[in-house]
Amino acid sequence: ASGKQYRLNKVVSGSRAVRVACADGTAWSALVDVPADGTADAEATVPRKRPKPAPAPAPVKSSNPTSGNVLSMAFVEVPAGSFQMGSEDGSDNEKPVHAVRISQRFWLGKYEVTQAEYETLMGTNPSKFKDARNPVETVSWDDATAFCVKLTEAERSAGRLPEGYEYRLPTEAEWEYACRAGTATAFHYGDDLDSSQANFDGTHPFGNGRKGEYRRTTVKVGSFRPNAWGLYDMHGNVWEWCKDWYGDYPSGAVTDPT
């Protein structure tokens, strides 16, 4: 192998060409003068073969427009698709159940916006239950919208946000579609919910859920299991704003309702 030494013994006298060839393509050769009165050793060190430089990897452009954002917020890609929105077993404002088509994929925060993220961008933390990793609360719709606008401006200025993209609140349809994550039950966990699955008043569980703790405070984001698409805290902890205004549901199928 290259880099090793080879010793040739009992070489016949005279001027001899010595060549060492290796399987990896490296070789060494030289003329060796052996005296007439005997034999001589010829020692050679085969030079190491210089490896060919590895081709530079082609630049990979992330398909996630949220990558590397200024707050290092994690986002989950939500695929385009269709679902049945609403509930016939819920309150009147959840009826009628109707077909909704989400025509394009979008990205939704993996966790609720934390107090640390909000304060870093907005310079203030209005939350009652102070903790950097707890969700920001006591924010109005205008506050939440202003946060999205400011994040969009920061990412555009840094050149990280592709043209045509923006940070905004999800529509109600986008939110419910993402929350359900392909399920058709009352909750993405199933038809039962208790305080081991989400942060709410556990003394009043849903369905066959067991009575449990009422924490009376928010908890750190990501404290409970995510839904099938990897989104956390879609049930409980805090109420979450949507982009569109309150209104009656349509009776027929719709695409990208706002």
Side-chain angles (χ1 to χ4, degrees):
S2 59
K4 290 188 176 181
Q5 291 186 335
Y6 297 85
R7 183 176 295 276
L8 307 177
N9 298 312
K10 298 182 181 179
V11 179
V12 180
S13 63
S15 182
R16 302 296 176 190
V18 179
R19 186 175 188 274
V20 177
C22 300
D24 64 1
T26 57
W28 173 90
S29 62
L31 287 174
V32 178
D33 290 325
V34 181
D37 58 353
T39 60
D41 292 335
E43 187 173 304
T45 299
V46 179
R48 291 186 181 276
K49 184 178 181 180
R50 181 177 295 176
K52 292 182 179 179
V60 177
K61 290 187 177 180
S62 172
S63 61
N64 183 348
T66 70
S67 294
N69 64 80
V70 67
L71 296 176
S72 298
M73 295 174 69
F75 285 79
V76 171
E77 181 179 338
V78 178
S82 300
F83 75 112
Q84 294 293 312
M85 184 173 177
S87 172
E88 295 297 347
D89 299 322
S91 57
D92 288 343
N93 62 5
E94 296 179 87
K95 303 172 183 177
V97 174
H98 56 289
V100 173
R101 175 174 170 261
I102 304 297
S103 66
Q104 298 184 67
R105 64 177 179 170
F106 61 96
W107 285 262
L108 192 66
K110 187 174 184 177
Y111 309 102
E112 295 159 318
V113 176
T114 66
Q115 295 175 31
E117 291 164 345
Y118 188 88
E119 186 169 8
T120 296
L121 191 66
M122 306 302 287
T124 184
N125 179 9
S127 304
K128 176 181 178 181
F129 304 106
K130 292 288 197 293
D131 188 293
R133 286 294 296 164
N134 283 22
V136 66
E137 22 89 5
T138 321
V139 290
S140 66
W141 184 90
D142 287 331
D143 293 333
T145 299
F147 175 87
C148 296
V149 170
K150 196 163 185 177
L151 182 56
T152 297
E153 291 172 347
E155 291 304 291
R156 283 180 178 163
S157 295
R160 286 187 290 261
L161 195 62
E163 185 176 353
Y165 285 85
E166 65 175 345
Y167 288 91
R168 61 166 174 80
L169 297 174
T171 65
E172 183 187 0
E174 289 169 340
W175 189 95
E176 184 172 331
Y177 174 65
C179 177
R180 288 185 176 278
T183 65
T185 47
F187 308 97
H188 65 70
Y189 290 123
D191 287 321
D192 311 318
L193 190 71
D194 60 46
S195 58
S196 69
Q197 300 166 301
N199 183 30
F200 68 104
D201 183 356
T203 63
H204 296 89
F206 293 89
N208 293 318
R210 294 175 298 178
K211 278 195 173 183
E213 183 179 5
Y214 182 18
R215 299 175 180 86
R216 300 179 184 275
T217 181
T218 59
V219 298
K220 289 179 173 58
V221 300
S223 293
F224 302 93
R225 288 190 298 112
N227 69 9
W229 289 349
L231 294 163
Y232 288 82
D233 302 309
M234 299 301 286
H235 301 309
N237 219 10
V238 292
W239 290 46
E240 300 179 6
W241 287 111
C242 291
K243 180 178 183 291
D244 41 351
W245 300 102
Y246 178 87
D248 294 334
Y249 284 171
S251 57
V254 290
T255 297
D256 300 326
T258 57

